[in-house]
Amino acid sequence: MAKHWADFQYEIYLNGMTGAVPRLPTDLTRLEELAEHRLGPGPVGYVAGSAGRGSTAAANRAALDRRRIVPRMLRDVHERDLSVEVLGRRLPAPMALAPVGVLSILHPDAEPAAARAAAAHGVPYILSSASSTPMEQVAEAMGDGERWFQLYWAKDREVTRSFLQRAKAAGFTALFVTLDTPLLAWRPRDLDQAYLPFLHGVGTANYFSDPAFRAGLARPVHEDPNAAVRHFVGMFADPAKTWPDLAFLRENWDGPIVLKGILHPDDALRAADAGVDGVVVSNHGGRQVAGSVAAADALPGLVEAAGDRLTVLFDSGIRTGDDIVKALALGAESVLVGRPYAYGLGLDGQAGVEHVIRCLLAEFDLTLALSGHARPGTLTADDLTTASA
């Protein structure tokens, strides 16, 4: 019998018999406001902030809110199975934790806490290149939990090659290549605080621990940290990269490759032609291009163009279980969740991340069942309608 994630609600109610209530809200949209009050303005702004005036982040939410689920009745949903196969791996539910960098600004346990929480529930954890903990330590923290590695594609080929070798050796099975950040966007919340953690050596752990990176330094990192930061800034992103450069990644990575940040159907087709395995339909949670198309509005066109040739994943705006239902109905095979678990980490460490995972999947399980579906694969666009603006 498949695990019913929805049983989390009964656990909560039974705990209430002894007077215990959840430490964090079960309405996860409240976490950002709590974080605003409990965490410093720099860290909260870094996570919550978006490009420009936040129009793309707002559009992401509006695009999901505009879609409405049309429940169906008298269907057998007694036994449900939320499991899916993604990138050749069997997962207990169609959700992974998105790559979020510099988590030490939110909680001292940082990436290992999020990774342990993911592993505890069988959810894949995608580690950011810009993590504040070296990838080997994160891998050790999560044991045999499913882990994927997100690459910020450095100018220095040897550093990139070294990252891929290290990730493979540490048991990361899939490579997620973020394409939408060849430059850092105009982000007023960070600019108003003059807050960029990398300049203080935070979020650079994978680089500072890397032999190829250190080979480019005149002195060890601890002897001249400012020089190490300058070396990092000089190679972190590369706006000169083009489609033919993907061949280098395929030569140096033998597992699945997923391109993150795809929004145009033609780019999905180019990705398929380049021989990669998947794409993430994403606008970086609204953090890169102000005025961008909402990710949920872009999703159906990409699925139509290349869904038969690529694994299509989705992020940017997922906050609730019904959001997951909508994304899957629009054609995504799985979703990535970012900000909610980051807030959970900041508010309550590993336990906070586990709370977010369990709430999201319980609400997803219940919404799926109450809409007349016993498994994610039966969702289609016919299960949605679009509300008038």
Side-chain angles (χ1 to χ4, degrees), residues 86-289:
V86 176
L87 301 172
R89 320 293 285 195
R90 196 72 189 170
L91 308 179
M95 186 181 88
L97 297 193
V100 180
V102 296
L103 289 181
S104 64
I105 65 175
L106 298 174
H107 193 279
D109 292 344
E111 292 83 10
R116 285 193 298 268
H121 298 284
V123 172
Y125 178 67
I126 310 177
L127 178 69
S128 171
S129 284
S131 64
S132 40
T133 312
M135 63 183 86
E136 293 83 2
Q137 291 182 27
V138 177
E140 185 179 0
M142 67 185 307
D144 60 1
E146 185 68 32
R147 47 188 176 271
W148 302 335
F149 183 71
Q150 177 268 343
L151 178 71
Y152 280 120
W153 200 348
K155 282 182 185 175
D156 189 316
R157 279 193 158 207
E158 293 312 308
V159 170
T160 298
R161 197 191 316 270
S162 180
F163 269 32
L164 299 184
Q165 291 170 348
R166 290 171 61 195
K168 179 60 70 174
F172 292 86
T173 59
L175 179 67
F176 282 64
V177 187
T178 295
L179 299 181
D180 56 19
T181 315
L183 299 165
L184 202 61
W186 187 256
R187 299 177 184 171
R189 285 194 68 166
D190 295 338
L191 290 163
D192 290 351
Q193 298 286 333
Y195 185 82
L196 190 61
F198 306 109
L199 299 185
H200 301 280
V202 180
T204 57
N206 284 318
Y207 299 84
F208 288 5
S209 62
D210 191 82
F213 178 90
R214 294 200 303 254
L217 299 175
R219 289 192 285 169
V221 173
H222 67 275
E223 289 185 13
D224 194 348
N226 289 333
V229 166
R230 288 193 299 271
H231 190 47
F232 162 80
V233 170
M235 76 165 61
F236 176 70
D238 184 3
K241 291 266 192 316
T242 58
W243 289 95
D245 290 307
L246 288 171
F248 173 81
L249 298 180
R250 180 50 80 197
E251 291 164 10
N252 289 278
W253 182 266
D254 60 6
I257 296 177
V258 180
L259 304 184
K260 185 174 181 289
I262 302 295
L263 292 166
H264 196 290
D266 288 353
D267 284 349
L269 289 170
R270 293 200 71 166
D273 290 342
V276 303
D277 302 274
V279 295
V280 183
V281 179
S282 167
N283 54 34
H284 216 99
R287 292 168 62 76
Q288 279 302 101
V289 177

Side-chain angles (χ1 to χ4, degrees), residues 29 56-66 294 316-320 322-323 326:
T29 64
T56 302
N60 285 336
R61 284 302 319 152
L64 287 165
D65 287 340
R66 200 166 59 248
S316 299
I318 298 290
R319 298 291 180 272
T320 64
D322 60 282
D323 290 339
K326 294 173 185 180

Side-chain angles (χ1 to χ4, degrees), residues 1-7 77-86 89-96 121-124 321 324-325 328 332-335 357-370 372-379:
M1 186 171 67
K3 172 179 181 176
H4 281 177
W5 294 92
D7 291 345
V77 293
H78 172 64
E79 287 300 338
R80 299 179 302 284
D81 182 1
L82 270 54
S83 68
V84 292
E85 187 168 309
V86 176
R89 320 293 285 195
R90 196 72 189 170
L91 308 179
M95 186 181 88
H121 298 284
V123 172
I324 302 175
V325 169
L328 298 183
E333 295 174 48
S334 183
V335 304
I357 292 170
R358 298 187 75 190
C359 286
L360 274 172
L361 291 180
E363 188 178 18
F364 170 60
D365 187 5
L366 288 164
T367 306
L368 191 73
L370 291 168
H373 298 270
R375 55 188 181 84
T378 60
L379 287 167

Side-chain angles (χ1 to χ4, degrees), residues 12-77:
I12 292 172
Y13 288 135
L14 286 172
N15 287 339
M17 300 290 288
T18 65
V21 298
R23 286 165 56 88
L24 294 178
T26 54
D27 173 1
L28 301 180
T29 64
R30 293 177 55 202
L31 296 182
E32 181 175 339
E33 183 182 1
L34 276 180
E36 294 270 10
H37 287 102
R38 295 192 197 173
L39 305 176
V44 169
Y46 184 82
V47 176
S50 299
R53 60 184 178 85
S55 60
T56 302
N60 285 336
R61 284 302 319 152
L64 287 165
D65 287 340
R66 200 166 59 248
R67 270 90 180 178
R68 314 301 298 175
I69 299 165
V70 184
R72 302 295 303 275
M73 299 298 120
L74 291 176
R75 291 179 169 183
D76 184 356
V77 293

